Amino acid sequence: MAKKNAGKLQLDDKPFVDATSEARSRYGRFNLAIVGASGVGKSSLVNAVFGRDWAKVGRGLPVTRGVQFYNDDSLGIWDVEGFEIGSPVPPDQQLRNHLEAIAAHSGDHQISVVWYCVKANDDRLTPADIAMIRELDARGLPVILVLTKVDWIRNPITGHQGVAKDVQAFVDWLNDPVDQTGARLRIPYRRVILTSTRDKHGKGKGHGLGDLVTETLELAPERDKDAFRIAQRLNLPWKREMARPIIAAAAAAAAGAATVPLPVSDAFTLAPIQLTMMGRIAAIYDLEVKTMLSAGALAQFGVQVAGRALATSFLKLIPGAGIVVNAAVAGALTAATGESWMKICELLHTGKIDVRKLDQEWSKYAPSFVDVVRKLVERRAKKA
């Protein structure tokens, strides 16, 4: 609800806070298990795909020797060490013990997908690796075999990326594994993905990560797909696909609220609709995690954005008294506000704007009432 105080408009941030909380609860958390020896590059993968240093992801939960759980609201990482050489416990039994410890936790801790990480310069999977992958598959967990620290070689003529002959031989063997006698081996990983998080000079954005993200989404249980779309940071179109139905629903709700045209002075009744929309979109972009803003600070920024958009559009750009806001204008302005807010969320999510400069950045993308009305007129002219 909007209130006047000392001549200034104040909006309640409750719709934003409630919408964010409801969205997080509905989407849940994506839990990924990463299996591999120390030094294989597990933490680099997490940082590259999810934008998190997993030592700083949040609460670390020591589960049992060889297993650690890190999590925040949208992402859980089960860090499972590889087979402990010299252990009297067979590798499959060792992993079975780990998985039983994980299974003892609540449903929101359970694994959706496993990345089994092996360094690219290894020339074969060890018997321990094979035993552990079979155990994961026996538990019904989809396994992606991730080759890490791949040195990519660019062909100077075609420009295509390739790998060294020994790595390619390893990949060929993985695609059709055989034992020393030539007998085929059953190793039930679902995909083999070659990755690097940096080039051999320690620079760049890596390679193969997009394929890894795509395959992870493909193998994730249906109930966990949206949680993964939110947790990952590499594929922005997925987030837009989630946000746009929310914008469309809010625009329809705003149009419904203005079925009987609203006087400009009452147009701030649209604010709760817009703040609810903005809170849900903020959850999709995981802004509280990405920006390190508190939930309260993020909500207050959302309130400032909504209030300024409404004040600028309805009050400052419409001269005269007695002007009303009809359903088409209310819906179009809400849709424009949603698109602008989504753009700001993307820029924050990707670190392209400084969180301390949000106020200035918003002014670059805030919808203009004049633009909204012009687009409405153009749309009607096309229909005519």
Side-chain angles (χ1 to χ4, degrees):
M1 180 180 294
K3 298 179 181 179
K4 291 281 186 176
N5 182 21
K8 293 183 179 180
L9 180 78
Q10 290 187 333
L11 299 179
D12 187 355
D13 65 3
K14 190 173 186 300
F16 187 104
V17 173
D18 288 351
T20 305
S21 177
E22 179 272 334
R24 284 194 180 126
S25 176
R26 177 158 50 89
Y27 293 130
R29 181 172 59 216
F30 183 81
N31 295 309
L32 175 74
I34 306 186
V35 183
S38 177
V40 77
K42 295 180 288 183
S43 60
S44 295
L45 275 177
V46 169
N47 194 29
V49 171
F50 300 105
R52 293 154 166 89
D53 177 346
W54 73 3
K56 299 176 183 176
V57 160
R59 299 167 293 281
L61 173 66
V63 179
T64 185
R65 181 176 177 179
V67 181
Q68 190 84 6
F69 183 63
Y70 301 92
N71 72 286
D72 53 36
D73 287 337
S74 60
L75 176 66
I77 297 291
W78 289 102
D79 175 15
V80 182
E81 292 181 3
F83 175 61
E84 184 179 341
I85 296 174
S87 171
V89 182
D92 52 349
Q93 183 60 55
Q94 202 175 110
L95 180 60
R96 195 173 300 128
N97 294 341
H98 294 337
L99 295 175
E100 287 172 359
I102 293 170
H105 290 272
S106 58
D108 63 349
H109 287 66
Q110 298 309 304
I111 298 167
S112 296
V113 176
V114 179
W115 292 352
Y116 197 99
C117 298
V118 177
K119 284 190 288 188
N121 58 7
D122 293 345
D123 60 357
R124 286 289 187 275
L125 294 182
T126 68
D129 291 324
I130 295 170
M132 293 174 77
I133 291 170
R134 286 173 175 168
E135 180 61 30
L136 289 163
D137 180 70
R139 294 288 181 126
L141 297 173
V143 178
I144 298 175
L145 185 66
V146 184
L147 295 190
T148 63
K149 302 185 177 182
V150 174
D151 285 334
W152 297 91
I153 302 169
R154 182 180 293 277
N155 186 307
I157 298 174
T158 65
H160 294 159
Q161 296 273 16
V163 296
K165 290 182 179 179
D166 56 343
V167 174
Q168 187 59 55
F170 186 19
V171 173
D172 292 341
W173 181 85
L174 289 170
N175 288 328
D176 188 16
V178 295
D179 64 16
Q180 293 177 341
T181 69
R184 278 194 166 83
L185 288 170
R186 176 184 171 272
I187 314 177
Y189 40 76
R190 308 291 185 88
R191 304 285 189 276
V192 178
I193 305 292
L194 282 69
T195 68
S196 58
T197 56
R198 292 287 185 270
D199 65 21
K200 62 183 179 181
H201 303 295
K203 299 178 181 179
K205 296 182 179 180
H207 200 80
L209 301 176
D211 292 338
L212 179 58
V213 165
T214 299
E215 295 298 344
T216 302
L217 181 68
E218 177 74 20
L219 294 174
E222 199 63 37
R223 67 180 184 277
D224 297 333
K225 288 186 185 297
D226 279 347
F228 179 68
R229 290 184 180 104
I230 289 171
Q232 62 84 36
R233 76 169 190 178
L234 295 180
N235 193 313
L236 289 176
W238 287 346
K239 296 179 184 290
R240 292 176 204 143
E241 288 170 7
M242 294 177 69
R244 289 218 157 96
I246 293 172
I247 295 172
T259 301
V260 176
L262 297 170
V264 168
S265 59
D266 292 337
F268 287 101
T269 58
L270 299 178
I273 295 172
Q274 296 189 358
L275 284 168
T276 296
M277 170 187 70
M278 292 163 68
R280 289 172 178 164
I281 293 172
I284 289 171
Y285 284 90
D286 220 3
L287 284 196
E288 193 177 333
V289 170
K290 292 297 298 182
T291 63
M292 298 306 171
L293 282 174
S294 69
L298 186 60
Q300 279 302 305
F301 175 64
V303 163
Q304 291 172 25
V305 167
R308 186 167 299 137
L310 287 167
T312 300
S313 299
F314 288 136
L315 303 181
K316 294 183 180 178
L317 296 180
I318 308 178
I323 297 174
V324 296
V325 178
N326 64 25
V329 171
L333 181 66
T334 299
T337 300
E339 290 288 333
S340 298
W341 176 246
M342 183 174 67
K343 180 63 175 178
I344 286 288
C345 288
E346 284 194 3
L347 293 171
L348 284 168
H349 180 76
T350 54
K352 293 181 179 177
I353 59 174
D354 188 334
V355 67
R356 295 167 297 182
K357 297 179 180 178
L358 287 177
D359 209 39
Q360 302 96 299
E361 292 294 335
W362 169 252
S363 63
K364 298 177 185 177
Y365 302 98
S368 158
F369 180 85
V370 172
D371 290 339
V372 169
V373 172
R374 176 177 52 78
K375 288 178 182 177
L376 280 174
V377 172
E378 290 174 353
R379 195 175 306 149
R380 287 173 182 170
K382 287 180 180 178
K383 289 182 179 179

